[in-house]
Amino acid sequence: FAPLANAPVGFARMISALLAIDRWARDHAGAPQDAQWLIEEAAMYLRAWKPKATFVERPAPVVGLSGRPYQFQMSLDGELIDAIAPHPNATGGELRKLVDVRASPRNRAVDIRVILDDRRDPVAADQEGAILANLSKVWAMSKLIDAAGGQTATQ
């Protein structure tokens, strides 16, 4: 909105804003998915994979050896699940969580699964998954999609 006397300035600002949005969209085209979007997508496929299973979003936190509580994104029939991108930063954060949780004797029997989004970079997902596989089950998102009866982008 702009006063009628400043209509040309208001119009110029509106066009500048639209061009800035267009520039942002071009810069971010093909960028990795937002983490929350990945979590919601994984949840959708987990529910499709096991429709009768007990699914919980944000289950009760698990306390690590350090005494710090850790929140997992979801659980399916009691198995704690996180979905992450195959990026060293995401893997590093997940690895710290898994080491602390697994170090506590009370958590050794806890089932944990990490879903890694392998659709953009399968090689990176394999590399990051190999690191996490020592502490949890690791499942590629494309395998989850297949198990749920969906189709990956490459099919």
Side-chain angles (χ1 to χ4, degrees), residues 14-128:
M14 181 187 71
I15 296 300
S16 293
L18 290 173
L19 290 173
I21 292 169
D22 181 61
R23 186 175 331 112
W24 179 89
R26 288 176 198 235
D27 290 345
H28 290 84
Q33 295 178 16
D34 178 64
Q36 188 59 39
W37 184 19
L38 177 62
I39 294 164
E40 290 172 8
E41 190 177 13
M44 176 185 70
Y45 285 116
L46 286 165
R47 287 181 179 122
W49 174 50
K50 289 189 172 182
K52 295 182 181 180
T54 302
F55 183 87
V56 177
E57 290 183 25
R58 297 185 55 80
V62 178
V63 178
L65 183 65
S66 67
R68 179 179 176 186
Y70 291 95
Q71 182 69 59
F72 283 83
Q73 298 158 351
M74 56 198 119
S75 72
L76 187 70
D77 280 344
E79 180 180 52
L80 299 172
I81 301 172
D82 277 342
I84 64 170
H87 188 277
N89 289 345
T91 303
E94 190 70 20
L95 187 60
R96 185 188 192 298
K97 177 196 291 189
L98 292 172
V99 167
D100 196 10
V101 167
R102 289 288 186 216
S104 175
R106 68 178 161 241
N107 297 327
R108 295 226 172 100
V110 173
D111 287 329
I112 301 173
R113 181 183 305 260
V114 176
I115 298 170
L116 270 169
D117 191 357
D118 65 328
R119 294 170 293 177
R120 287 187 186 264
D121 192 348
V123 173
D126 285 345
Q127 291 169 343
E128 300 302 313

